């Protein structure tokens, strides 16, 4: 089976980096070491050894200083700078993926800096075009026990799924501190979620209760998201004890099969459409050029007042007319047009 890439996304404090450490240790214990990328430029220390680290390429503090940015702006700018080298990074990852079991990617705790930025989209699209890519959305289980925070997390997971268009696994982390059975029950049985909302509304001492509008909204959203839940894999893990890691790896294998059968076909279709649009635009540009040259060739005869005043002017006009005739007839005017020329060659050469 093709080596999958697992992109770990989670809110700050959800235990995302600790989960990465546990997953890394578990795979090493199985003698199937992963290849790890760290895309968080602001982290001081990581509890695992990253094979590719954005901090080796971009200095986060210098970015803040030179561009006069705050923390979030500096993270986005650092990712933008790193994305300019995505072709080199992707070449390395593709080469190393042949000899490892998984490619693990840690992302910034500020989700919006990665998921909703242009650089994050570029990185994910480039990675998914090379190897099967799965999103692992890490949820802080102890902080999701109330219906309001649970629904907020599910809406965020839904937005990530439709933004990235990649297979998604919801990972309820920290199950050593709080059991995640309530979450799986709410996702599979909307009546149990409605009962929890009713209990919350009846509890006058609960600061989250008593809001009829919010409870009505969450009640409606639970019905809307029922179809969304059916396309998800949900696992409960503890990054502290290691419980549930095998279940997570099995979910990754299922999502890789889903990627190859559904997502890959859709991605290839989108690539073909972009290529068709590019070719159509190129044809339109060529037609405009041919039209301009044709109009010049069919210009009305010069009057006596329009005739050239010198011999050199007359020779230049004859040369221009000859070039237009040869161009319209499909001839290569003195090698000016390269038959192997493709649009974009000049820009690629400039970028290199």
């Amino acid at each position: 089976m093709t080596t999958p890439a697992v992109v770990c996304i989670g809110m700050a404090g959800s235990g995302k980096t600790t989960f990465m450490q546990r997953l890394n240790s578990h795979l090493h214990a199985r003698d199937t070491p992963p290849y790890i990328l760290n895309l968080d430029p602001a982290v001081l220390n990581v509890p695992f050894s990253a094979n590719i680290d954005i901090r080796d390429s971009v200095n986060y503090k210098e970015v803040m200083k030179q561009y006069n940015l705050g923390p979030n702006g500096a993270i986005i700018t650092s990712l933008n700078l790193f994305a300019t080298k995505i072709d080199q990074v992707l070449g390395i990852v593709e080469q190393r993926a042949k000899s490892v079991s998984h490619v693990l990617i840690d992302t910034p705790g500020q989700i919006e800096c990665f998921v909703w930025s242009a650089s994050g989209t570029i990185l994910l699209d480039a990675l998914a075009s090379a190897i099967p890519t799965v999103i692992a959305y890490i949820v802080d289980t102890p902080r999701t026990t109330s219906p309001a925070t649970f629904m907020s997390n599910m809406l965020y997971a839904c937005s990530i799924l439709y933004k990235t268009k990649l297979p998604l696994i919801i990972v309820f982390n920290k199950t050593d501190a709080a059991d995640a059975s309530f979450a799986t029950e709410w996702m599979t049985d909307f009546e149990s979620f409605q009962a929890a909302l009713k209990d919350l509304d009846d509890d006058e001492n609960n600061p989250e209760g008593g809001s009829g509008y919010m409870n009505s909204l969450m009640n409606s959203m639970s019905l809307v998201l029922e179809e969304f839940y059916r396309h998800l894999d949900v696992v409960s893990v503890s990054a502290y004890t290691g419980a549930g890691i095998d279940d997570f790896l099995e979910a990754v294998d299922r999502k890789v099969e889903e990627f190859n059968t559904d997502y890959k076909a859709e991605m290839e279709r989108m690539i073909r459409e972009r290529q068709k649009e590019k070719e159509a635009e190129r044809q339109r540009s060529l037609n405009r050029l041919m039209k301009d040259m044709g109009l010049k060739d069919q210009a009305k005869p010069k009057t006596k007042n329009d005739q050239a005043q010198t011999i050199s002017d007359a020779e230049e006009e004859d040369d221009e007319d000859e070039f237009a005739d040869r161009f319209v007839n499909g001839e290569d005017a003195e090698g000016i047009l390269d038959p192997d020329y493709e649009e974009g060659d000049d820009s690629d050469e400039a970028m290199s």
Side-chain angles (χ1 to χ4, degrees):
M1 185 176 63
T2 307
T3 299
V6 180
V7 183
C8 294
I9 297 175
M11 295 185 182
S14 62
K16 174 172 51 61
T17 302
T18 308
F19 173 77
M20 282 274 297
Q21 178 193 19
R22 174 60 65 179
L23 189 57
N24 178 42
S25 301
H26 188 82
L27 291 174
H28 272 92
R30 291 172 44 175
D31 292 328
T32 56
Y35 195 77
I36 300 179
L37 284 74
N38 174 44
L39 297 183
D40 188 353
V43 65
L44 294 178
N45 298 296
V46 289
F48 48 81
S49 178
N51 301 99
I52 297 179
D53 198 329
I54 187 175
R55 296 175 300 170
D56 296 334
S57 303
V58 182
N59 190 322
Y60 171 74
K61 291 185 178 180
E62 285 297 320
V63 169
M64 291 183 66
K65 185 185 301 182
Q66 293 185 16
Y67 295 96
N68 194 24
L69 297 171
N72 289 346
I75 290 176
I76 294 176
T77 303
S78 298
L79 288 170
N80 291 341
L81 294 172
F82 187 76
T84 60
K85 302 294 183 182
I86 186 59
D87 54 339
Q88 301 176 20
V89 174
L90 194 61
I92 297 173
V93 171
E94 284 185 283
Q95 187 65 28
R96 298 295 187 269
K98 300 176 183 178
S99 58
V100 298
S101 61
H102 296 77
V103 176
L104 306 181
I105 301 166
D106 194 14
T107 60
Q110 292 80 354
I111 298 181
E112 66 280 0
C113 294
F114 182 79
V115 175
W116 300 100
S117 65
S119 55
T121 302
I122 292 172
L123 291 168
L124 285 177
D125 288 348
L127 188 64
S129 66
I131 57 178
T133 304
V134 177
I135 302 295
Y137 180 60
I138 315 300
V139 178
D140 188 347
T141 305
R143 292 196 293 181
T144 316
T145 54
S146 70
T149 54
F150 171 80
M151 184 56 63
S152 298
N153 267 290
M154 294 303 102
L155 291 174
Y156 219 126
C158 181
S159 67
I160 291 174
L161 174 66
Y162 289 105
K163 177 64 172 66
T164 61
K165 297 181 176 63
L166 293 172
L168 180 70
I169 302 174
I170 294 184
V171 182
F172 286 99
N173 192 18
K174 303 181 182 181
T175 54
D176 56 290
D179 189 7
S181 58
F182 73 92
T184 55
E185 182 181 0
W186 286 350
M187 295 176 70
T188 55
D189 184 6
F190 71 90
E191 291 182 355
S192 63
F193 183 77
Q194 292 176 338
L197 284 176
K198 187 176 184 304
D199 294 339
L200 182 67
D201 195 30
D202 295 339
D203 188 359
E204 297 180 356
N205 296 324
N206 194 318
E208 296 184 5
S211 176
Y213 170 76
M214 286 301 299
N215 286 354
S216 177
L217 176 62
M218 287 188 287
N219 192 5
S220 301
M221 291 306 301
S222 66
L223 298 175
V224 172
L225 294 179
E226 185 179 6
E227 185 67 23
F228 166 69
Y229 295 149
R230 295 179 182 177
H231 296 85
L232 297 178
D233 274 45
V234 180
V235 294
S236 302
V237 303
S238 171
Y240 181 72
T241 64
I245 295 297
D246 286 326
D247 295 336
F248 172 76
L249 293 175
E250 291 176 1
V252 170
D253 293 338
R254 291 193 296 270
K255 287 302 179 182
V256 169
E257 295 179 2
E258 183 179 329
F259 178 90
N260 291 327
T261 55
D262 300 333
Y263 288 82
K264 187 176 181 180
E266 177 66 14
M267 188 177 302
E268 291 175 349
R269 183 189 66 82
M270 293 175 63
I271 292 175
R272 288 195 298 268
E273 288 183 356
R274 284 197 294 266
Q275 289 176 342
K276 289 181 180 179
E277 292 177 359
K278 184 178 180 181
E279 182 62 28
E281 179 61 28
R282 181 186 178 189
Q283 187 62 41
R284 286 193 293 268
S285 299
L286 181 59
N287 290 339
R288 286 195 296 268
L289 177 61
M290 295 290 289
K291 181 179 179 180
D292 293 342
M293 298 300 295
L295 289 174
K296 182 176 181 180
D297 183 58
Q298 298 174 5
K300 61 181 181 179
K302 292 183 175 61
T303 63
K304 182 177 180 180
N305 294 332
D306 294 332
Q307 291 180 359
Q309 300 298 319
T310 63
I311 298 178
S312 59
D313 291 341
E315 291 176 349
E316 289 178 0
E317 292 175 0
D318 291 341
D319 291 341
E320 291 177 356
D321 293 340
E322 181 181 2
F323 168 78
D325 292 337
R326 296 178 66 182
F327 183 88
V328 174
N329 293 330
E331 300 178 9
D332 184 4
E334 300 180 2
I336 293 176
L337 299 179
D338 184 356
D340 296 330
Y341 174 85
E342 294 182 1
E343 185 179 2
D345 288 351
D346 293 340
S347 59
D348 293 342
E349 183 178 353
M351 289 294 293
S352 63

